[in-house]
Amino acid sequence: SNYPFFPSGVVILSGIEQGLFVLEVGAITSLPTASPTHTKSPTISPAPTAVTFWELQAGEPSECEITDDQLCVTDGPGYYQRNEKCTYVAIRDMRLTASGVFETEPSNGQYDRITIGGNYYFTNSEGKHNFPTSLTLVAGDTVIWKTDSLKSKYAGYRLCASQVADTASPTPSPTEEKSICVDDTEFQLKKKACSRLTTLKCNKWDAKSGRLVRNYCRSLCQNCTDGKNSLRCKDDKKFRFVVKKSNQKLSCKQLAKKRCNQKDKKKRMMREYCKKKCNFCEL
């Protein structure tokens, strides 16, 4: 029991077992309330995002690979296969280089090749490729890889991108025309290679194959541009195909595509002159 009513503030407490207690109660003060401590949540920085340079627009991912954290495009390890077709699109401005691998079947670009900005890149008959040290691409440019139907024993390509330092004024789409302006070392006119011909022979043709000199002696005849809208890829409006039996003269517009690989009475191959109709630049 307790008796807390003494004027002095003394309180008497007692218990049967505990005995009597006289207590002096001092001023009761409130215990200070501790301010709540707010632990600041740690700031989580987002994981760095890899810069993406490429998008595969057409082709099989197993044949048209984007590797090295989205930096490089390649046909993959080993020899490339027949009938491969890949179209890569540049997502951002870039500087493009051949990184360690660039080898196609030797030709003047009519078999296996990379096409960028209408220009062909390939290995020539001397075993040297014409891909430049670097190319500057802008967003939207395409890199197209195409192989023919023959079995290959060549490594293909590995092209890698890096960021362009100054994107304020990027270099226009690549126009490496001189790099593809090479003579076909296998072409001959009356047993004479391009190096032994003069420009007077540029509009002549080989009677055996029906091939036009300027289409193969490209450096000699300055026939260097490959874009779909270039003169090299357009139909010759002055050309007339002379039908062997009837002597009828037909323009490229009048000729059917089935004649593309036929020679006329003068032994000229149609596709050498009707280049747009016969997809000369796409072969």
Side-chain angles (χ1 to χ4, degrees):
S1 64
N2 63 77
Y3 189 84
F5 302 110
F6 291 104
S8 62
V10 172
V11 176
I12 296 176
L13 301 176
S14 64
I16 297 175
E17 296 179 0
Q18 289 82 11
L20 180 66
F21 295 89
V22 179
L23 303 176
E24 184 177 358
V25 180
I28 300 174
T29 57
S30 306
L31 291 174
T33 303
S35 300
T37 302
H38 296 285
T39 304
K40 190 174 181 180
S41 300
T43 302
I44 301 174
S45 301
T49 304
V51 178
T52 301
F53 283 92
W54 300 104
E55 179 181 298
L56 180 62
Q57 186 180 74
E60 294 295 331
S62 59
E63 298 175 347
C64 315
E65 299 183 19
I66 300 176
T67 64
D68 298 81
D69 293 327
Q70 304 291 315
L71 290 178
C72 303
V73 293
T74 176
D75 61 287
Y79 300 147
Y80 59 81
Q81 303 298 313
R82 64 186 76 186
N83 297 319
E84 289 187 353
K85 293 181 181 179
C86 308
T87 300
Y88 307 97
V89 179
I91 295 178
R92 62 183 69 248
D93 300 345
M94 67 174 74
R95 192 170 303 282
L96 187 65
T97 58
S99 182
V101 180
F102 195 96
E103 182 188 42
T104 68
E105 179 182 355
S107 69
N108 67 339
Q110 75 268 38
Y111 303 134
D112 309 332
R113 61 176 181 257
I114 287 282
T115 304
I116 304 175
N119 299 325
Y120 293 167
Y121 301 102
F122 52 88
T123 303
N124 64 22
S125 302
E126 297 175 352
K128 298 179 180 179
H129 73 72
N130 63 342
F131 199 89
T133 304
S134 69
L135 285 175
T136 301
L137 275 64
V138 298
D141 283 346
T142 57
V143 175
I144 301 171
W145 165 246
K146 181 180 180 181
T147 68
D148 62 14
S149 59
L150 299 179
K151 189 176 180 180
S152 160
K153 291 185 178 180
Y154 302 95
Y157 63 96
R158 182 172 179 270
L159 306 178
C160 295
S162 59
Q163 294 191 46
V164 179
D166 180 12
T167 57
S169 15
T171 305
S173 297
T175 53
E176 296 283 339
E177 293 183 0
K178 289 184 180 179
S179 67
I180 62 163
C181 200
V182 292
D183 294 335
D184 185 344
T185 56
E186 296 179 359
F187 176 80
Q188 290 188 346
L189 177 69
K190 296 181 179 179
K191 297 184 179 182
K192 289 185 179 180
C194 295
S195 58
R196 297 178 58 197
L197 299 175
T198 67
T199 54
L200 295 175
K201 300 293 185 182
C202 287
N203 289 322
K204 299 295 182 181
W205 61 91
D206 175 52
K208 185 177 180 180
S209 65
R211 297 195 296 177
L212 184 62
V213 171
R214 69 169 178 259
N215 288 339
Y216 302 92
C217 300
R218 299 175 65 182
S219 178
L220 172 69
C221 302
Q222 286 301 294
N223 189 20
C224 303
T225 310
D226 263 323
K228 289 184 178 179
N229 296 320
S230 71
L231 291 175
R232 182 174 183 270
C233 299
K234 290 184 176 180
D235 293 342
D236 185 341
K237 293 182 179 180
K238 296 181 180 179
F239 173 71
R240 294 296 180 268
F241 185 93
V242 183
V243 181
K244 292 179 181 179
K245 292 183 179 181
S246 64
N247 285 326
Q248 184 181 9
K249 295 180 181 179
L250 302 175
S251 66
C252 292
K253 190 175 182 179
Q254 294 171 314
L255 287 164
K257 278 191 173 183
K258 64 182 180 180
R259 290 186 182 270
C260 284
N261 292 319
Q262 293 180 10
K263 290 187 285 185
D264 72 351
K265 192 171 184 178
K266 295 183 179 181
K267 298 184 179 180
R268 300 173 298 178
M269 184 77 73
M270 175 187 162
R271 64 178 293 270
E272 298 288 316
Y273 297 86
C274 303
K275 293 168 282 191
K276 182 177 181 181
K277 173 164 279 189
C278 296
N279 298 321
F280 179 88
C281 289
E282 298 299 318
L283 296 178

